[in-house]
Amino acid sequence: MVIEADFYRIRLRFKRLFADPAIFDDQKNAVRRFLGYSSSSNDQTDIYQITDDISPSDNVGKSPEVAGTARYVHGGRVVRSEYLENANVTLEYADFGSGLLPSGHQKIWKRQKWGRMSFNIEEFHHEHLRIEIPAIPELYEMLRVRADPTTLVDVELPELPDYFFRSAVGYLETRLKRLAERESQTIDIYVARDLLPEEKQALERRLTRPSTKSTIYILLSKTEGSATL
């Protein structure tokens, strides 16, 4: 099946960047919170954040030093907080049919305000994606039938730039996990390019096939709790 999505790379520059929980707590969902997006009941729509570790940087790409402390309003209270000066934050995410058009994404970012912090937009990059992935309901059903109590399969995704690849993996993982949760089952996905050599070799021996940089491994378990390799 072919899925379509919109990929975004946003680089923001904060004159003063505080350790605001809106950004730095539950970092994998920071973009969702900023856009005001709640998960849809439709399994085929989602906003998937690729950047899961938000690391501020200075003009040369290094971690900036703490510039000082100042009063900051959080949760209705005035607190003292450390801050960074002229800090850049880069975020990558993909929108899989949330209903928010590219112009809508741009409009929200152009408010240039995150909580009580102002920022300038250094980059707003948008690309429309077409990615071929396995049919998800059929893939899940195959996993479910084979699980006794676990089953492992490998899936080869198309050769894509890393950010396209991460988008496809995130979409696939999100939809499979939603299907599994309805039946109190567990899905774990492992990306071959992220594994240690010994972990990858163990999986290759188990499935008797070599992996590539586009291989992902999907493990379904009928037992509660996360399965391990």
Side-chain angles (χ1 to χ4, degrees), residues 6-10 12 22-23 26-39 45-50 54 91-115 119 121 124-126:
D6 291 287
F7 168 80
Y8 298 90
R9 182 188 301 112
I10 316 295
L12 313 175
I23 299 178
D26 187 21
Q27 293 186 25
K28 289 189 70 172
N29 290 301
V31 168
R32 285 167 171 254
R33 291 195 300 274
F34 180 82
L35 296 174
Y37 176 79
S38 299
S39 294
T45 65
D46 206 357
I47 289 179
Y48 170 70
Q49 183 175 318
I50 301 163
I54 300 174
L91 299 163
E92 293 183 333
Y93 66 97
D95 184 335
F96 295 91
S98 73
L100 187 61
L101 297 175
S103 59
H105 284 265
Q106 190 170 30
K107 182 178 179 180
I108 293 173
W109 287 109
K110 278 188 172 180
R111 294 172 185 169
Q112 300 187 119
K113 196 86 170 175
W114 201 324
F119 59 78
I121 300 175
F124 182 90
H125 175 77
H126 165 246

Coordinates of all heavy atoms in Angstrom, one line a residue, residues 6-10 12 22-23 26-39 45-50 54 91-115 119 121 124-126:
D6 N 2.9 14.5 4.9 CA 3.7 15.7 4.7 C 4.8 15.8 5.8 O 4.5 15.6 7.0 CB 2.7 16.9 4.9 CG 1.8 17.1 3.7 OD1 2.2 17.4 2.6 OD2 0.6 16.7 3.9
F7 N 6.0 15.9 5.3 CA 7.2 16.0 6.2 C 7.5 17.5 6.5 O 7.5 18.3 5.5 CB 8.3 15.3 5.6 CG 9.6 15.5 6.3 CD1 9.9 14.8 7.5 CD2 10.5 16.5 5.8 CE1 11.1 15.1 8.1 CE2 11.7 16.7 6.5 CZ 12.0 16.0 7.6
Y8 N 7.9 17.8 7.7 CA 8.2 19.1 8.1 C 9.5 19.1 8.9 O 9.8 18.2 9.7 CB 7.1 19.8 9.0 CG 5.8 19.9 8.3 CD1 4.9 18.9 8.4 CD2 5.5 21.0 7.5 CE1 3.6 19.0 7.7 CE2 4.3 21.2 6.9 CZ 3.4 20.2 7.0 OH 2.2 20.3 6.4
R9 N 10.4 20.1 8.6 CA 11.6 20.3 9.4 C 11.5 21.8 9.8 O 11.5 22.7 8.9 CB 12.9 20.1 8.6 CG 14.1 20.3 9.5 CD 15.4 20.2 8.7 NE 15.6 18.9 8.1 CZ 15.5 18.7 6.8 NH1 15.3 19.7 5.9 NH2 15.6 17.5 6.3
I10 N 11.5 22.0 11.1 CA 11.3 23.4 11.6 C 12.5 23.7 12.4 O 12.9 22.9 13.3 CB 10.1 23.5 12.5 CG1 8.8 22.8 11.8 CG2 9.8 25.0 12.8 CD1 8.4 23.4 10.6
L12 N 13.9 26.6 15.0 CA 13.5 27.8 15.7 C 14.7 28.4 16.5 O 15.6 27.7 16.9 CB 12.4 27.4 16.8 CG 11.3 26.5 16.2 CD1 10.4 26.1 17.4 CD2 10.5 27.3 15.2
A22 N 6.6 22.4 28.5 CA 5.8 22.3 27.3 C 6.7 21.7 26.1 O 6.2 21.1 25.2 CB 5.2 23.6 26.9
I23 N 8.0 22.0 26.2 CA 8.9 21.5 25.2 C 9.7 20.3 25.7 O 9.8 19.3 25.0 CB 10.0 22.6 24.8 CG1 9.2 23.8 24.2 CG2 11.0 22.1 23.8 CD1 10.2 25.0 23.9
D26 N 8.1 15.0 28.2 CA 7.5 14.2 27.2 C 7.9 14.7 25.8 O 7.0 15.1 25.0 CB 6.0 14.2 27.4 CG 5.3 13.2 26.4 OD1 5.9 12.2 25.9 OD2 4.1 13.3 26.2
Q27 N 9.1 14.7 25.5 CA 9.6 15.4 24.3 C 9.1 14.8 23.0 O 8.9 15.5 22.0 CB 11.2 15.3 24.3 CG 11.8 16.1 25.4 CD 13.3 16.2 25.3 OE1 13.9 16.0 24.2 NE2 14.0 16.4 26.4
K28 N 8.8 13.5 23.0 CA 8.3 12.9 21.8 C 6.9 13.4 21.3 O 6.5 13.2 20.2 CB 8.2 11.4 21.9 CG 9.5 10.7 22.0 CD 9.4 9.2 22.0 CE 9.0 8.7 20.6 NZ 9.0 7.2 20.5
N29 N 6.2 14.1 22.2 CA 4.9 14.7 21.9 C 4.9 16.2 21.9 O 3.8 16.8 22.0 CB 3.9 14.1 22.8 CG 3.6 12.6 22.6 OD1 3.2 12.2 21.5 ND2 3.8 11.8 23.6
A30 N 6.1 16.8 21.9 CA 6.1 18.3 22.0 C 5.4 18.9 20.8 O 4.7 19.9 21.0 CB 7.6 18.7 22.1
V31 N 5.7 18.4 19.6 CA 5.0 19.0 18.4 C 3.5 18.9 18.5 O 2.8 19.8 18.2 CB 5.6 18.4 17.1 CG1 4.7 18.8 15.9 CG2 7.0 18.8 16.9
R32 N 3.0 17.7 18.9 CA 1.6 17.5 19.0 C 1.0 18.6 20.0 O -0.1 19.2 19.7 CB 1.3 16.2 19.6 CG 1.4 15.0 18.6 CD 1.4 13.7 19.4 NE 1.3 12.5 18.6 CZ 0.2 11.8 18.4 NH1 -0.9 12.1 19.0 NH2 0.3 10.8 17.6
R33 N 1.7 18.8 21.1 CA 1.1 19.8 22.0 C 1.2 21.2 21.4 O 0.2 22.0 21.6 CB 2.0 19.8 23.3 CG 1.8 18.5 24.1 CD 2.3 18.7 25.6 NE 3.7 19.0 25.6 CZ 4.7 18.1 25.6 NH1 4.4 16.8 25.5 NH2 6.0 18.5 25.6
F34 N 2.3 21.5 20.7 CA 2.3 22.9 20.1 C 1.3 23.1 19.1 O 0.6 24.2 19.0 CB 3.7 23.0 19.5 CG 3.9 24.4 18.9 CD1 4.2 25.5 19.6 CD2 3.7 24.6 17.5 CE1 4.4 26.7 19.0 CE2 3.8 25.8 16.9 CZ 4.2 26.9 17.7
L35 N 1.0 22.1 18.3 CA 0.0 22.2 17.2 C -1.5 22.0 17.8 O -2.4 22.3 17.1 CB 0.2 21.1 16.2 CG 1.5 21.2 15.4 CD1 1.7 20.0 14.4 CD2 1.6 22.5 14.6
G36 N -1.6 21.6 19.1 CA -2.9 21.4 19.6 C -3.6 20.2 19.1 O -4.8 20.2 18.9
Y37 N -2.8 19.1 18.7 CA -3.4 18.0 18.0 C -3.6 16.8 19.0 O -2.7 16.5 19.8 CB -2.4 17.5 16.9 CG -2.9 16.2 16.3 CD1 -3.9 16.2 15.3 CD2 -2.4 15.0 16.6 CE1 -4.4 15.1 14.7 CE2 -2.8 13.8 16.0 CZ -3.8 13.8 15.0 OH -4.2 12.7 14.4
S38 N -4.8 16.3 19.1 CA -5.1 15.1 19.9 C -5.2 13.9 18.9 O -5.7 14.0 17.8 CB -6.4 15.3 20.7 OG -6.3 16.4 21.5
S39 N -4.8 12.7 19.4 CA -4.9 11.5 18.6 C -6.3 11.3 18.1 O -7.3 11.5 18.8 CB -4.5 10.3 19.4 OG -3.1 10.4 19.8
T45 N -4.8 8.2 10.6 CA -4.3 9.6 10.6 C -3.5 9.8 11.9 O -3.8 9.2 12.9 CB -5.5 10.6 10.6 OG1 -6.2 10.4 11.8 CG2 -6.4 10.4 9.4
D46 N -2.4 10.6 11.8 CA -1.6 10.8 12.9 C -0.6 11.9 12.6 O -0.3 12.2 11.5 CB -0.9 9.5 13.3 CG -0.5 9.5 14.8 OD1 -0.7 10.5 15.5 OD2 0.1 8.5 15.3
I47 N 0.0 12.5 13.7 CA 1.2 13.3 13.5 C 2.3 12.6 14.3 O 2.1 12.4 15.5 CB 0.9 14.7 14.1 CG1 0.0 15.5 13.2 CG2 2.2 15.5 14.3 CD1 -0.4 16.9 13.6
Y48 N 3.3 12.3 13.6 CA 4.4 11.5 14.2 C 5.7 12.4 14.2 O 6.1 12.9 13.2 CB 4.7 10.2 13.3 CG 6.0 9.5 13.7 CD1 6.0 8.9 15.0 CD2 7.1 9.6 12.9 CE1 7.2 8.2 15.4 CE2 8.3 9.0 13.4 CZ 8.3 8.3 14.6 OH 9.5 7.7 15.0
Q49 N 6.2 12.5 15.4 CA 7.4 13.4 15.6 C 8.6 12.5 15.5 O 8.8 11.5 16.2 CB 7.3 14.0 17.0 CG 8.5 14.9 17.3 CD 8.4 15.7 18.6 OE1 7.3 16.1 19.0 NE2 9.5 15.8 19.3
I50 N 9.5 12.8 14.6 CA 10.7 12.1 14.3 C 11.8 12.4 15.4 O 12.5 11.6 15.9 CB 11.2 12.3 12.9 CG1 10.1 11.9 11.9 CG2 12.5 11.6 12.6 CD1 10.4 12.5 10.5
I54 N 15.1 16.5 22.0 CA 15.2 17.9 21.6 C 16.5 18.5 22.3 O 16.5 18.6 23.5 CB 13.9 18.6 22.0 CG1 12.7 18.0 21.4 CG2 14.1 20.1 21.7 CD1 11.4 18.6 21.8
L91 N 13.2 20.6 14.8 CA 12.2 19.6 15.0 C 11.8 19.0 13.6 O 11.6 19.8 12.7 CB 10.9 20.1 15.7 CG 11.1 20.7 17.1 CD1 9.9 21.6 17.5 CD2 11.3 19.6 18.1
E92 N 11.7 17.7 13.6 CA 11.2 17.0 12.4 C 10.0 16.2 12.7 O 10.0 15.5 13.7 CB 12.3 16.1 11.8 CG 13.5 16.9 11.2 CD 14.6 16.0 10.6 OE1 14.6 14.8 11.0 OE2 15.3 16.5 9.7
Y93 N 9.0 16.2 11.9 CA 7.8 15.4 12.1 C 7.1 15.2 10.8 O 7.3 15.9 9.8 CB 6.9 16.1 13.1 CG 6.3 17.4 12.7 CD1 5.0 17.5 12.2 CD2 6.9 18.6 12.9 CE1 4.4 18.7 11.8 CE2 6.4 19.8 12.5 CZ 5.1 19.8 12.0 OH 4.5 21.0 11.6
A94 N 6.1 14.3 10.8 CA 5.3 14.0 9.6 C 3.9 14.0 10.0 O 3.5 13.5 11.1 CB 5.7 12.6 9.0
D95 N 3.1 14.5 9.1 CA 1.6 14.6 9.3 C 1.0 13.6 8.3 O 1.0 13.7 7.1 CB 1.1 16.0 9.0 CG -0.4 16.1 9.3 OD1 -1.1 15.1 9.2 OD2 -0.8 17.3 9.5
F96 N 0.4 12.5 8.9 CA -0.3 11.5 8.1 C -1.8 11.8 8.1 O -2.6 11.1 8.8 CB 0.0 10.1 8.6 CG 1.4 9.7 8.5 CD1 2.3 10.0 9.6 CD2 1.9 9.1 7.4 CE1 3.7 9.6 9.5 CE2 3.2 8.7 7.3 CZ 4.1 9.0 8.3
G97 N -2.2 12.8 7.3 CA -3.7 13.0 7.2 C -4.4 13.5 8.4 O -5.6 13.2 8.6
S98 N -3.8 14.4 9.2 CA -4.5 14.9 10.4 C -5.6 15.8 10.0 O -6.5 16.1 10.9 CB -3.5 15.6 11.3 OG -3.1 16.9 10.7
G99 N -5.6 16.3 8.8 CA -6.6 17.3 8.4 C -6.1 18.7 8.4 O -6.7 19.7 7.9
L100 N -4.9 18.9 9.0 CA -4.2 20.2 9.1 C -3.4 20.4 7.8 O -2.4 19.7 7.6 CB -3.4 20.3 10.3 CG -2.8 21.7 10.6 CD1 -3.8 22.8 10.8 CD2 -1.9 21.6 11.8
L101 N -3.8 21.3 7.0 CA -3.1 21.5 5.7 C -1.7 22.1 5.9 O -1.4 22.7 7.0 CB -3.9 22.5 4.8 CG -5.2 22.0 4.4 CD1 -6.0 23.0 3.6 CD2 -5.1 20.7 3.5
P102 N -0.8 22.0 5.0 CA 0.6 22.6 5.1 C 0.5 24.1 5.5 O 1.2 24.6 6.3 CB 1.2 22.4 3.8 CG 0.6 21.1 3.3 CD -0.8 21.2 3.8
S103 N -0.5 24.8 4.9 CA -0.7 26.2 5.2 C -1.1 26.4 6.7 O -0.7 27.4 7.3 CB -1.7 26.9 4.3 OG -3.0 26.2 4.4
G104 N -1.8 25.5 7.2 CA -2.2 25.5 8.6 C -1.0 25.3 9.5 O -0.9 26.0 10.6
H105 N -0.2 24.3 9.2 CA 1.0 24.1 10.0 C 1.9 25.4 10.0 O 2.3 25.9 11.1 CB 1.9 23.0 9.4 CG 1.4 21.6 9.6 ND1 1.8 20.9 10.7 CD2 0.4 20.9 9.0 CE1 1.2 19.7 10.7 NE2 0.3 19.7 9.7
Q106 N 2.1 26.0 8.8 CA 2.9 27.2 8.7 C 2.3 28.3 9.6 O 3.0 29.1 10.2 CB 3.1 27.6 7.3 CG 4.1 28.7 7.1 CD 4.4 28.9 5.6 OE1 3.6 28.7 4.8 NE2 5.6 29.3 5.3
K107 N 1.0 28.5 9.5 CA 0.3 29.5 10.2 C 0.5 29.4 11.7 O 0.8 30.4 12.4 CB -1.2 29.5 9.9 CG -2.0 30.6 10.6 CD -3.5 30.6 10.2 CE -4.3 31.7 10.9 NZ -5.7 31.6 10.5
I108 N 0.4 28.2 12.2 CA 0.6 28.0 13.7 C 2.0 28.3 14.1 O 2.3 29.0 15.1 CB 0.2 26.5 14.1 CG1 -1.3 26.3 13.9 CG2 0.6 26.3 15.5 CD1 -1.7 24.9 14.0
W109 N 3.0 27.8 13.3 CA 4.4 28.1 13.7 C 4.7 29.6 13.5 O 5.5 30.2 14.3 CB 5.4 27.3 12.7 CG 5.4 25.9 13.1 CD1 4.9 24.9 12.3 CD2 6.0 25.3 14.2 NE1 5.1 23.6 13.0 CE2 5.8 23.9 14.1 CE3 6.7 25.7 15.3 CZ2 6.2 23.0 15.1 CZ3 7.1 24.8 16.3 CH2 6.9 23.5 16.2
K110 N 4.0 30.3 12.6 CA 4.3 31.7 12.4 C 3.8 32.6 13.6 O 4.1 33.8 13.6 CB 3.7 32.2 11.1 CG 4.6 31.9 9.9 CD 4.0 32.5 8.6 CE 5.0 32.4 7.5 NZ 4.5 33.0 6.2
R111 N 3.1 32.0 14.5 CA 2.7 32.7 15.7 C 4.0 33.1 16.5 O 4.0 34.0 17.3 CB 1.7 31.9 16.5 CG 0.4 31.7 15.9 CD -0.5 30.8 16.7 NE -1.8 30.5 16.0 CZ -2.6 29.5 16.4 NH1 -2.3 28.7 17.4 NH2 -3.7 29.3 15.7
Q112 N 5.0 32.2 16.3 CA 6.3 32.5 16.9 C 6.2 32.6 18.4 O 6.9 33.5 19.0 CB 7.0 33.7 16.3 CG 7.2 33.5 14.8 CD 8.0 34.6 14.1 OE1 9.1 34.3 13.6 NE2 7.6 35.8 14.2
K113 N 5.4 31.8 19.0 CA 5.3 31.8 20.5 C 5.1 30.4 21.0 O 4.2 29.7 20.5 CB 4.1 32.7 20.9 CG 4.0 33.1 22.3 CD 4.8 34.4 22.5 CE 4.6 35.0 23.9 NZ 5.4 36.1 24.2
W114 N 5.9 30.0 21.9 CA 5.7 28.6 22.5 C 5.6 28.9 24.0 O 6.6 29.2 24.7 CB 6.9 27.7 22.2 CG 6.6 26.3 22.4 CD1 5.8 25.7 23.3 CD2 7.1 25.2 21.6 NE1 5.7 24.3 23.1 CE2 6.5 24.0 22.1 CE3 8.0 25.1 20.5 CZ2 6.8 22.8 21.5 CZ3 8.3 23.9 20.0 CH2 7.7 22.7 20.5
G115 N 4.4 28.7 24.5 CA 4.1 29.1 25.9 C 4.4 30.6 26.0 O 3.8 31.4 25.3
F119 N 10.1 33.1 19.6 CA 11.1 32.5 18.8 C 11.0 33.1 17.4 O 10.0 33.6 17.0 CB 11.1 31.0 18.8 CG 9.8 30.4 18.2 CD1 9.5 30.4 16.9 CD2 8.8 29.9 19.1 CE1 8.3 29.9 16.4 CE2 7.6 29.4 18.6 CZ 7.4 29.3 17.2
I121 N 11.5 31.9 13.3 CA 11.6 30.8 12.4 C 12.8 30.9 11.5 O 12.8 31.8 10.6 CB 10.3 30.6 11.6 CG1 9.1 30.4 12.5 CG2 10.4 29.4 10.7 CD1 7.8 30.4 11.8
F124 N 11.6 26.7 7.7 CA 10.3 26.0 7.6 C 10.4 25.2 6.3 O 10.2 25.7 5.2 CB 9.1 26.9 7.6 CG 7.8 26.2 7.6 CD1 7.2 25.8 8.8 CD2 7.2 25.8 6.4 CE1 6.0 25.1 8.7 CE2 6.0 25.2 6.3 CZ 5.4 24.8 7.5
H125 N 10.7 23.9 6.4 CA 10.8 23.0 5.2 C 9.7 22.0 5.2 O 9.4 21.4 6.2 CB 12.2 22.3 5.3 CG 12.4 21.3 4.2 ND1 12.7 21.7 2.9 CD2 12.2 19.9 4.2 CE1 12.8 20.6 2.2 NE2 12.5 19.5 2.9
H126 N 9.1 21.9 4.0 CA 7.9 21.0 3.8 C 8.2 20.2 2.6 O 8.6 20.7 1.5 CB 6.6 21.8 3.7 CG 5.5 21.0 3.2 ND1 4.9 21.3 1.9 CD2 4.8 19.9 3.7 CE1 3.9 20.4 1.7 NE2 3.9 19.6 2.7

